[in-house]
Each structure stands twice: as structure tokens, then as C-alpha cells.
Amino acid sequence: MAVRTPVSGAILCGGGGRRMGGADKGSLLVGGQTILDRLLDALRPLTPHLMIIDRDATHTTAADVRVVPDLVPDCGAVGGIYTALESSATDRVMIVACDMPFLTTAFLSFLVDLDDTADVVIPRDAQGRRPLCGVFHRRIAPALKARLKTRTLRVDAALAGLDVRDVTEGSLAHFNADGRLMMNVNTPEDYRSAADGHHYP
């Protein structure tokens, strides 16, 4: 599937999974596949440049995927995004969290093709912005580094002042017929919902 400009793909796997009892969320099975493998399958048609961003680079995976340790440890998702941008082979990076099992190639391609001029392109639904599923331009890496220095570790706060394009809920509807597109597996209850096919509450 062609895209207008080159893009890399990065999956953020550095979280501690505290609400999942410390489980590695990317390794959880949904539909007979790990969430991590589901995400890699969704990203592969978009780019040959695939990365897993992890705290200690212990993930083992396919030969076509680089595992990159956090450049600035213990800085959460903002640190992971910064690491992905600094490690990218392209100017734009499709960044997703490792706990989103229902993202699709069609939807990610839509985000990539939507706007190649914005600093960031991210979905917004009834729960608000979903900044851990978005397209980020690496020109914002210095701004994120400055946020890390001031310990601004909430993603929305770190993006303040940048050119962010929100993709509204109406634009998501075509890709979200079952209501699970943007589901995060954060808790055991979420995982049961994802694994048995029930809609996310």
C-alpha cells in the first residue's frame, strides 16, 4: 500500500504494565496473535522501517524489526516518542502503543496520508485525544527533549505549542464499525473484553 511520503513505524513497549499486574502487554494474545505481532502486521504494509522502543531492548522479534532502548530512561511515553524520532530513518514516524490490538493497516495508512505538513497527526474520539496512535515529524524532537528536561511527561502537555492536527471522531467512524479501533488493553478487564470479542465499554 503506497503512501505519499516515506514513514517509519514505531511501537512503544516501555511501560511497566502496572494495571496489568506487571504483564508485558505486547505479549498478550488476542485472536491467536500477540498484540505486538498484530501491530507489526498492521505496520508492515506501510514501511520497511520498523522499530520497537523498549526500556532495556529485551524484546526479541522478527529480523526486520529494530529494538531500540530508550535514549532517556524512565520518561514514559514522551521519552519513547522522543527515542523513536531520534532513531527514525525517515522524517515522519507512525507511533503506536503496544496495547492497541485493533488498529488496522487501512486506518494507519489514512493517518499517514492525511497531512504531511503537520508536526503531529493524532485521533480524537469521545475519550479525547489518543496521542499514542499518531504520526509525528522528527523536527519536534528538540522540543520533546526540552520537555523531558523539565519532566513534562504527560503527552498532551508535551505537545503544547506544536502544530497538532486532530482527526475527529467522524473521520474515524469508517474504520471503527465495531467500536474497538482505539481500544487500549490497560487492565485485566480490558484484556478479557479484547480476547473474547466483546465491545470495549
Side-chain angles (χ1 to χ4, degrees):
M1 183 179 296
V3 295
R4 292 172 186 159
T5 57
V7 66
S8 296
I11 302 173
L12 304 186
C13 291
R18 288 182 296 276
R19 286 188 284 171
M20 286 293 295
D24 177 359
K25 293 189 287 186
S27 296
L28 298 173
L29 290 174
V30 174
Q33 274 187 298
T34 67
I35 299 176
L36 182 59
D37 283 338
R38 290 172 68 97
L39 289 168
L40 288 171
D41 283 351
L43 286 165
R44 279 193 177 96
L46 303 181
T47 176
H49 307 295
L50 297 172
M51 297 177 282
I52 291 173
I53 311 301
D54 201 355
R55 287 176 297 178
D56 53 11
T58 57
H59 272 92
T60 58
T61 187
D64 63 335
V65 182
R66 283 194 297 146
V67 182
V68 182
D70 284 323
L71 294 176
V72 185
D74 302 318
C75 286
V78 177
I81 294 168
Y82 170 72
T83 297
L85 296 178
E86 286 286 9
S87 306
S88 174
T90 61
D91 283 340
R92 302 174 76 224
V93 189
M94 179 75 239
I95 298 177
V96 299
C98 70
D99 62 357
M100 303 183 76
F102 300 111
L103 295 177
T104 65
T105 298
F107 176 61
L108 298 180
S109 179
F110 167 75
L111 292 182
V112 169
D113 285 346
L114 194 60
D115 187 346
D116 62 3
T117 63
D119 290 336
V120 186
V121 177
I122 51 178
R124 178 190 287 273
D125 63 10
Q127 298 185 39
R129 274 183 173 172
R130 298 301 194 101
L132 297 189
C133 173
V135 186
F136 294 73
H137 198 289
R138 65 179 172 187
R139 65 173 165 256
I140 72 169
L144 294 186
K145 186 175 183 179
R147 307 294 195 271
L148 294 175
K149 288 181 177 177
T150 61
R151 302 295 293 178
T152 304
L153 302 184
R154 193 167 59 83
V155 179
D156 258 350
L159 298 181
L162 301 177
D163 177 15
V164 178
R165 175 167 180 175
D166 289 329
V167 183
T168 62
E169 193 168 13
S171 298
L172 307 183
H174 173 72
F175 305 96
N176 195 29
D178 67 358
R180 298 195 296 172
L181 177 69
M182 303 304 300
M183 177 181 181
N184 295 96
V185 177
N186 285 318
T187 66
E189 290 76 18
D190 294 343
Y191 180 47
R192 284 192 289 272
S193 178
D196 68 16
H198 292 167
H199 283 195
Y200 190 51

